[in-house]
Amino acid sequence: MLVVDSVSKRFGGLMAVDGASLTVTPGSIIGLIGPNGAGKTTLFSMISGFIAPTDGGIRFEGADITAEEPHRRAARGIGRTFQIVQPFAGLTVCENIAVGAYLRHAKRADAIARARAVAQRVGLGPELDRPAGGLTVAGRKRLELARALATEPKLLLLDEVLAGLNPSEIRDIIPVIRGIRDEGVTILMIEHVMQAVMTLCEHVHVLAQGRMIAEGPPAAVCADARVIEAYLGHGAAARLAAEGAAHG
Amino acid sequence: MTVRDLIPVLVLVGLAALLPLVVTASPVLNFLVFMLIVALGAQGWNILGGFGGQFSFGHAAFFGTGAYATAILQLRWGVNAWAGLAAAVAAGGAVGWAIGFLSFRSGLRGSYFALVTLAFAEVFRILANAAPLTGGAAGLLIGLDVRPANLQFADRAVFYWLVLGFVAAVLVLTRWIQRSRFGAQLVAVRENEDAAKALGVDSLRVKLRAIALSGAVTALAGGLYAQYFLYIDANIAYGGWISVELLLAPIIGGVGTVFGPVVGALTLHGLGEVAKQFAGRIPGIDLIVFGTVLVLAVAFARGGILGLLERLRDRGVGMLPPSAKSRTAKEVPNAGR
Ligand SMILES: Nc1ncnc2c1ncn2[C@@H]1O[C@H](COP(=O)(O)OP(=O)(O)OP(=O)(O)O)[C@@H](O)[C@H]1O
Ligand SMILES: [Mg+2]
C-alpha cells in the first residue's frame, strides 16, 4: 500500500536519508530500526508530508503523494505519531483526541464519542478530562497514539511510542498495538526497544546513515553482520563471531 | 448547540437590554454604545487571536475598512446605510482573507504576523489620510438624516439595542465556534500547528476562515461606529488606538473565551470612566487605568478575568457556578490586588 522509492533528504551537507526504499504491504506490522541519527524520523516526516524529499518518490495506494500536503495524506489514511510528543497542552485529553476524530466525524457528539472510545482503548480512559499538559511521559505517548488512531488511519506510522516507558508500561501497550493491527490497520514502527520489535514485527528494515542496509524477519536481521556493525562499529561482527567461537 | 448552551448569553443580554430603561442621560448612553462597539470589535479580534492564537496588532485595518465602507457607500454612491453596513461586513471579511492569504501562506506566525497586521493598518491609515475617496485628512461626515431606514435613530437607546443585538449574535457565533469542528481545529492550530496537520487539519484554510470571520465582525463594529458618531477620519478609523483597544479587551477579559472580550471592554471602560469621574482634572487618567489593569491582568490573571475566576472557583474560593462567572467579573481587579 505504501511504496517509498529511493527517497533522499539532504540537510545542507548532511545526507540524512540517502536513496532509501521501502514497501509496506497491507495488514502487517513492519519495523524500522537503526542507530541514532540514522534518518528514521526524517524518513517518516517525508512519508507523512512534513519534509519534502530532495529526491525520489512516495506512493500510497497507487497514488503519487510525493508533493502532497500533510493534511491531505492524513485524509488518505496515513496517521503518524511524533517522537518528540506534540500534545495540545492547553486542551484536555478528550479534546486532543477529538481533533483527530473530527477528521472523519463532522458532528461534535460523534467526534467526542469516538475520542472516548479510542481513549479507553489505549488506556487513557481515566485521564479523559485532565489537561494534556499534565500527563506523564507514558501518558503523552499514549495520547500521541490515541490521536493518530482517532483519525482512523489505514497506515499508522509510530515513531518510538515505547521510548521512555518502563518495562511494565511496555508490556501493557504491546497488546494494544497488536490489537490495532488485528483491526486492519497496517503499522510501520520505528523502535529501539528490541524486545518489542521481536514480538511485534513480521518484517524489519534497517536504516544506517541514511541507507537501507538490511531487511527481513527480525531474528535474521539481528544476526546480520552489517546490522551489528552499524550498531556497534566497524569490525564488531567479526569480533563477536571470534568471541563466540572462543567461548563455544 | 442546544438552548442550554445559550442560557448565559440570553440572561446577560436580557439584563443589558433593560439598561436604557434605567439610565436615559445622553452622555451615559453614548458611553455605553461606544463600549459595546469596542466589545464587538474585540469579539472579532478574539476569533482570530483568542481561538486561533494569531495575535493581530492591527485590527484597525478591519475596523477602519468597515467604517469607511459604510460611510463611502452612502456618501459617494448613495447606497442605503443598512446595505452599506452589510457591505462593510463583506469588505472586512475580504480584507481579512487577503491579509491572511498573504501572511499565512508565507508561513508568518507569532510576532511576525503581529507586525505584518500592524503594517497593514498603518498603510491603510496613510492611504486613507491622503486619498480623495476617503476625504483625505478632513475625513468623512455622514449627514444627519434621522430615519430608521438611514440607520439613524432619534432615540439613542435604539442604537444601543441594535449594537447589543449584534454583540449577542456574535456571542452566539463564538459559542457555536467553541462547539464546532471548525473551532476544535482552530484551537488545535493555536496549540500546535504541526500536530494539527498530522491529524488532517488544513491549517491554512482554518486560519483563513478565522481571519475572514474576525475581519468581518470587527468591520461591523467599525461600520456601527461611523453610523453612530457620523464622522470618521483616518486616525480614528485606522488609528493605532483601536488596534490596542481591540487587543486589550480580550486579553484582560480572557482570550479564547466566549465572554472575555465583552468582560474586558466593560472592565477597561468602566474603570476608565470611574477614574475620570473621580480624578477628572488629571489628563490621561483613563490611560493610566488601562495600563494598570493590563499589568495586573498579565501579572496575576493569565487567561484574563475569566481565567482568574475559573481558578478561584477550582480552588473552591468563589464557589461560583459557571453561569455566574461574568456577572461577578467586575469585582475581580480588586480581588487581584
Ligand atoms: N531539520 C533538520 N535540519 C538539519 N538536520 C537535521 C534535521 N532533522 C534531522 N537532521 C539530522 O539528520 C540526521 C537524521 O536524523 P533523524 O532524526 O531522522 O534520525 P533518527 O534515525 O530518527 O534518530 P533517533 O533514533 O535519534 O531518533 C541526524 O544527523 C539529524 O541531526
Ligand atoms: Mg527519530
Side-chain angles (χ1 to χ4, degrees):
Chain A
M1 69 195 312
L2 177 76
V3 179
V4 177
D5 184 15
S6 58
V7 295
S8 301
K9 179 65 200 178
R10 175 191 292 281
F11 291 117
L14 174 84
M15 280 305 260
V17 175
D18 189 357
S21 297
L22 165 77
T23 303
V24 177
T25 47
S28 47
I29 301 185
I30 292 185
L32 178 60
I33 63 171
N36 290 110
K40 305 181 295 294
T41 297
T42 305
L43 184 60
F44 263 27
S45 294
M46 290 191 283
I47 298 172
S48 55
F50 284 85
I51 293 178
T54 320
D55 209 359
I58 300 165
R59 301 170 67 76
F60 182 66
E61 296 189 319
D64 183 1
I65 58 165
T66 314
E68 214 168 57
E69 296 232 41
H71 70 266
R72 302 266 323 120
R73 301 191 199 200
R76 283 185 186 275
I78 300 179
R80 78 166 284 185
T81 67
F82 290 93
Q83 179 177 4
I84 299 163
V85 292
Q86 313 273 355
F88 305 125
L91 308 186
T92 65
V93 168
C94 183
E95 288 166 334
N96 265 266
I97 305 172
V99 174
Y102 269 122
L103 178 60
R104 316 253 180 239
H105 304 275
K107 283 228 212 66
R108 176 181 163 86
D110 298 347
I112 298 282
R114 171 85 196 153
R116 291 182 170 274
V118 171
Q120 221 67 50
R121 178 90 194 275
V122 302
L124 279 173
E127 326 269 1
L128 266 169
D129 295 316
R130 289 190 40 196
L135 290 177
T136 59
V137 175
R140 285 163 193 238
K141 292 281 186 183
R142 282 170 195 265
L143 182 59
E144 280 289 324
L145 179 61
R147 282 195 316 198
L149 206 52
T151 64
E152 297 168 32
K154 294 175 188 162
L155 172 66
L156 188 54
L157 309 173
L158 303 178
D159 196 347
E160 298 197 26
V161 283
L162 304 181
L165 304 192
N166 65 39
S168 90
E169 288 164 339
I170 291 176
R171 265 198 306 278
D172 289 345
I173 205 130
I174 282 180
V176 174
I177 294 174
R178 190 175 287 130
I180 294 168
R181 194 274 315 267
D182 291 344
E183 279 178 16
V185 181
T186 307
I187 296 174
L188 177 59
M189 62 189 299
I190 296 176
E191 204 44 78
H192 280 303
V193 180
M194 284 315 284
Q195 168 216 346
V197 175
M198 293 297 197
T199 39
L200 281 173
C201 302
E202 288 108 51
H203 198 86
V204 176
H205 292 262
V206 187
L207 196 64
Q209 294 179 344
R211 290 203 180 87
M212 288 294 183
I213 55 165
E215 66 168 296
V221 159
C222 286
D224 190 309
R226 284 166 304 177
V227 177
I228 295 169
E229 299 214 339
Y231 273 94
L232 301 177
H234 186 67
R239 262 199 323 278
L240 283 181
E243 277 172 31
H247 292 148
Chain B
M1 196 159 56
T2 62
V3 177
R4 238 184 94 235
D5 288 335
L6 298 176
I7 287 175
V9 175
L10 294 175
V11 170
L12 285 169
V13 171
L15 286 175
L18 298 177
L19 217 51
L21 305 179
V22 187
V23 286
T24 47
S26 293
V28 180
L29 280 175
N30 281 345
F31 165 71
L32 289 176
V33 168
F34 176 66
M35 201 167 69
L36 282 182
I37 287 175
V38 170
L40 182 63
Q43 285 180 296
W45 184 94
N46 190 45
I47 293 172
L48 180 68
F51 289 95
Q54 313 295 318
F55 274 40
S56 150
F57 284 8
H59 251 50
F62 310 125
F63 187 85
T65 298
Y68 273 111
T70 305
I72 290 171
L73 285 172
Q74 287 178 73
L75 295 174
R76 306 274 185 238
W77 290 295
V79 174
N80 170 272
W82 290 93
L85 192 64
V89 173
V95 170
W97 193 90
I99 291 180
F101 187 78
L102 292 174
S103 38
F104 294 143
R105 230 180 54 125
S106 38
L108 291 181
R109 294 187 201 187
S111 37
Y112 295 99
F113 173 71
L115 285 177
V116 164
T117 57
L118 180 65
F120 270 105
E122 263 312 275
V123 168
F124 288 173
R125 188 182 67 78
I126 291 163
L127 289 178
N129 207 35
L133 178 70
T134 51
L140 291 174
L141 196 64
I142 299 174
L144 192 66
D145 184 1
V146 182
R147 272 184 295 149
N150 283 348
L151 197 38
Q152 297 185 25
F153 308 97
D155 188 351
R156 286 167 204 277
V158 177
F159 209 94
Y160 171 84
W161 284 319
L162 179 71
V163 183
L164 184 64
F166 283 126
V167 169
V170 180
L171 285 174
V172 173
L173 172 72
T174 314
R175 182 72 184 141
W176 171 81
I177 289 175
Q178 214 177 30
R179 314 269 301 172
S180 69
R181 163 152 81 174
F182 165 63
Q185 295 186 331
L186 186 56
V187 169
V189 168
R190 173 189 78 197
E191 294 288 317
N192 189 321
E193 194 163 341
D194 275 348
K197 285 180 180 169
L199 299 177
V201 176
D202 184 348
S203 66
L204 177 63
R205 207 179 101 144
V206 166
K207 285 194 282 186
L208 283 178
R209 275 177 78 180
I211 196 171
L213 212 51
S214 176
V217 170
T218 299
L220 175 63
L224 289 168
Y225 181 97
Q227 206 54 34
Y228 187 74
F229 295 99
L230 297 177
Y231 172 76
I232 50 167
D233 67 19
N235 291 325
I236 295 174
Y238 284 126
W241 72 276
I242 187 71
S243 291
V244 173
E245 289 255 356
L246 300 185
L247 153 94
L248 281 189
I251 289 178
I252 285 168
V255 281
T257 63
V258 173
F259 287 103
V262 180
V263 170
L266 234 68
T267 308
L268 275 179
H269 286 273
L271 288 176
E273 209 53 26
V274 169
K276 264 197 227 163
Q277 297 301 323
F278 284 107
R281 278 149 302 157
I282 307 171
I285 184 75
D286 50 336
L287 294 181
I288 295 175
V289 169
F290 273 34
T292 313
V293 173
L294 179 64
V295 170
L296 285 176
V298 172
F300 298 111
R302 287 288 187 83
I305 292 169
L306 295 182
L308 184 66
L309 280 172
E310 201 158 300
R311 263 179 290 150
L312 289 177
R313 195 185 42 154
D314 288 349
R315 271 194 252 150
V317 180
M319 292 299 183
L320 296 166
S323 58
K325 267 189 224 167
S326 328
R327 219 176 340 113
T328 46
K330 274 156 272 167
E331 303 162 15
V332 167
N334 303 323
R337 254 175 290 199

